[in-house]
Amino acid sequence: MQTYILAIDRGSSNLKLVLFNQQGEQVHIVSAPNQETISKEEGWREFDLDIVWQQVCDLTKQIISGFCRSEQIVAVSFSGHGNGLVLLDDTQRPLGNGIYSLDSRAASIVERWKQDGVYSEAQDVFRCPIIAGAPISLFAWIKEYQPDRAGKAKHCLFIKDWLRLCLGGSVATDYTDASSGSLLDHAGQCYSRHIYEKLGVGELYELLPPLHYSSELVAKVSDGAARDSGLKAGTPLFTGGQDLSLGPLGVSDFSEDVLISVFGSWAINVLNVVDTTGLPLVINHPIEGHYLSGVADGNAGLALDTMIRLFFLDVMSDSQRTGKSAQSLLEKIVSANDQNTLLFIPHLFGSMINPGAISGLIGIRSHTERRDIYKAICEGILLGYKANIELLPQFKGIKTVWLIGGGAKSELLAQMMADIFGREVVVPQDSEISARGAAVCALLGRHNGALSSIPSPRIRKRFVPDVAMVHYYEKKSALISQVLLQGDPLLEAVSSF
């Protein structure tokens, strides 16, 4: 009987359930767009947790009715977007909506921590920047503005942990989510009550779930969840991890001269590191004793979608009519070799380096065409990628870039990335690499953690830099880096209106 690993991957934009065979090959996928974001106030980005669980049940039933029997699924693992917040009461029911990582309501609290000097101390311990959408920031906001809700809280989880809890009743999380969520003392590999207290949220310590490695078996599908989802009761549930950390495991490349670039709602670029000394950002790899360093930015797929909605409404209509993505329709009129005089400053959602950065499209002339605008938008987003990555001390040693996430489906973006980075870009055959990383966690758990059991992914295509385009991008790259690091007087003046 053919058997499968089910990876449940709940990202910031879509929910995907992906089946992998025992060789780690992607064989089937079902998906659904996330519910419309709930924004009760400016800067709020929330979602209904019960709807997410119902979507999972709908998709598991779809798999079992249309592809395989429930007994063929021998393990389930999880991948989820990082940060954000899921608060539960003492009955393990949601205390309000879940909150996305792009939520900005706690920005003033983070700024207060910086002014008080406690932020830098906390970052030295966590080895990860505390963003406004981090669990600790959001809990601080809830404690300040919704004290009754904070007082009723008994559990603080990440989104993947909520779904595992629904399936098997296990309150747990893993080291990848805890470290990238600015909750983990990097040196001690444990929660830090001392730092939480300094940040004014000492009670958070008691709400955090037990820590497990990503490949650990932590629960089994309950009878009730089996009735709701169609999965077989008793199916093993593995911890899983945060999607950005699972990507490197999904490509199964542990080399330090490799960059793993995730083009999803966020731009996430990580490198494997052994020596973490002096690195400003370090997060846990799903494999015990391995670590990742890199940079993240909110200006990627979500920024591209936003600009498409602003400039190409007719293409959006065509997309709805034909069932094809607006991005794929626009790429029919654009070539990777096209050159233009436009410069798109991509910081629609600010910047990790310069929180006050804003976006702008400069250089439009009477002869500018629509394809120029779309190409410039893509360029600006990828140039912003590079400007962030160049700050890493390991950047010069990078030889190969693995491109994963939704952006990997686009040959235009892959070739542009090769030209902008000046490195070979490799796109794997399997489209869902974070989900593959989650499946590999289950495979490791089933094979007692032997790294030799990790299968290498299949490769779809390699993209080699075009020398002429590399030179074309050098000047634009310098301008984007200047705006990011030093600011731009014109943009700063506009932002003050």
Side-chain angles (χ1 to χ4, degrees):
M1 179 178 68
Q2 178 70 276
T3 58
Y4 304 102
I5 307 294
L6 173 63
I8 298 178
D9 180 11
R10 208 282 184 166
S12 298
S13 302
N14 298 283
L15 171 66
K16 301 174 184 178
L17 273 63
V18 192
L19 286 176
F20 295 84
N21 60 24
Q22 299 301 315
Q23 290 71 49
E25 297 171 336
Q26 181 179 319
V27 296
H28 189 66
I29 178 173
V30 293
S31 64
N34 290 351
Q35 62 195 267
E36 185 174 349
T37 300
I38 302 168
S39 298
K40 298 177 181 178
E41 302 284 347
E42 184 177 355
W44 292 25
R45 298 182 65 83
E46 300 182 346
F47 56 93
D48 187 307
L49 288 158
D50 287 328
I51 290 178
V52 181
W53 166 234
Q54 185 59 53
Q55 285 183 305
V56 169
C57 292
D58 292 343
L59 292 180
T60 52
K61 291 175 180 176
Q62 187 176 329
I63 288 174
I64 291 166
S65 65
F67 184 80
C68 69
R69 301 185 305 277
S70 61
E71 60 265 27
Q72 290 179 270
I73 298 174
V74 296
V76 182
S77 188
F78 302 83
S79 169
H81 64 77
N83 286 292
L85 185 68
V86 173
L87 280 184
L88 307 181
D89 63 17
D90 56 1
T91 68
Q92 299 183 350
R93 289 292 301 150
L95 275 170
N97 291 322
I99 304 176
Y100 282 115
S101 59
L102 286 173
D103 191 285
S104 61
R105 73 186 72 184
S108 62
I109 290 176
V110 174
E111 185 59 33
R112 185 196 311 160
W113 289 339
K114 291 180 178 179
Q115 293 174 359
D116 292 344
V118 69
Y119 180 96
S120 59
E121 182 178 352
Q123 187 170 347
D124 288 343
V125 171
F126 298 144
R127 301 290 292 279
C128 188
I130 306 172
I131 64 173
I136 198 165
S137 312
L138 292 167
F139 184 78
W141 186 93
I142 289 171
K143 179 182 176 181
E144 185 169 332
Y145 294 100
Q146 299 175 346
D148 290 345
R149 182 182 179 190
K152 294 176 182 177
K154 295 299 179 184
H155 303 286
C156 172
L157 302 179
F158 295 92
I159 182 59
K160 76 174 193 317
D161 306 324
W162 162 249
L163 294 176
R164 191 187 335 94
L165 176 66
C166 291
L167 275 173
S170 170
V171 175
T173 196
D174 79 302
Y175 288 88
T176 67
D177 253 329
S179 62
S180 60
S182 305
L183 293 172
L184 192 71
D185 179 329
H186 173 70
Q189 289 293 292
C190 60
Y191 295 131
S192 178
R193 185 196 295 267
H194 170 68
I195 292 298
Y196 305 158
E197 289 174 347
K198 285 215 163 190
L199 294 170
V201 287
E203 57 270 58
L204 180 63
Y205 182 86
E206 302 296 339
L207 309 184
L208 297 175
L211 287 163
H212 294 270
Y213 292 108
S214 299
S215 58
E216 282 191 64
L217 172 63
V218 291
K220 294 183 179 180
V221 174
S222 67
D223 291 340
R227 289 191 295 271
D228 292 338
S229 68
L231 293 172
K232 184 179 178 181
T235 302
L237 304 175
F238 291 84
T239 317
Q242 194 225 23
D243 51 11
L244 81 87
S245 299
L246 289 170
L249 182 59
V251 302
S252 306
D253 193 332
F254 296 90
S255 306
E256 290 191 79
D257 60 1
V258 166
L259 176 74
I260 298 94
S261 183
V262 185
F263 192 105
S265 297
W266 276 64
I268 301 167
N269 300 278
V270 294
L271 305 117
N272 298 300
V273 294
V274 176
D275 182 4
T276 64
T277 305
L279 294 176
L281 171 65
V282 180
I283 58 176
N284 284 51
H285 191 285
I287 303 299
E288 180 183 359
H290 291 248
Y291 299 96
L292 301 165
S293 184
V295 290
D297 195 348
N299 300 292
L302 192 58
L304 182 57
D305 291 343
T306 299
M307 295 303 291
I308 289 174
R309 287 196 299 272
L310 287 174
F311 282 88
F312 304 101
L313 278 176
D314 59 324
V315 179
M316 295 286 291
S317 298
D318 290 344
S319 172
Q320 294 175 352
R321 179 175 53 80
T322 62
K324 298 179 180 179
S325 72
Q327 185 178 335
S328 66
L329 294 174
L330 284 164
E331 289 184 5
K332 291 181 178 180
I333 64 172
V334 176
S335 166
N337 294 326
D338 289 344
Q339 299 186 14
N340 58 69
T341 59
L342 302 176
L343 183 68
F344 175 59
I345 311 299
H347 308 124
L348 272 75
F349 300 99
S351 166
M352 298 287 284
I353 299 170
N354 181 1
I358 64 172
S359 183
L361 181 60
I362 303 170
I364 296 178
R365 302 180 183 181
S366 60
H367 60 265
T368 299
E369 299 182 12
R370 284 159 56 90
R371 66 177 185 176
D372 299 325
I373 293 175
Y374 184 70
K375 178 78 186 306
I377 291 168
C378 295
E379 288 177 352
I381 290 171
L382 292 175
L383 288 165
Y385 258 55
K386 185 185 178 186
N388 282 296
I389 297 166
E390 284 180 321
L391 299 176
L392 297 173
Q394 308 98 316
F395 177 75
K396 291 184 179 179
I398 295 171
K399 296 179 180 178
T400 304
V401 179
W402 282 88
L403 176 59
I404 62 177
K409 299 174 184 177
S410 166
E411 293 203 0
L412 173 69
L413 291 178
Q415 184 59 57
M416 288 174 62
M417 179 175 281
D419 297 338
I420 288 171
F421 284 28
R423 270 85 169 170
E424 180 187 51
V425 171
V426 181
V427 176
Q429 177 67 35
D430 294 335
S431 61
E432 308 306 323
I433 294 298
S434 291
R436 185 178 192 272
V440 169
C441 288
L443 289 171
L444 285 169
R446 287 167 56 83
H447 294 91
N448 299 315
L451 293 183
S452 59
S453 66
I454 300 178
S456 298
R458 299 168 292 179
I459 294 175
R460 188 176 89 221
K461 190 170 181 178
R462 297 178 184 271
F463 295 83
V464 179
D466 180 314
V467 175
M469 295 306 294
V470 170
H471 292 317
Y472 161 73
Y473 285 122
E474 285 176 350
K475 187 173 182 180
K476 288 191 174 187
S477 179
L479 290 172
I480 291 286
S481 295
Q482 179 181 336
V483 170
L484 183 66
L485 296 174
Q486 302 174 16
D488 179 271
L490 177 59
L491 292 178
E492 290 173 0
V494 170
S495 68
S496 67
F497 286 171

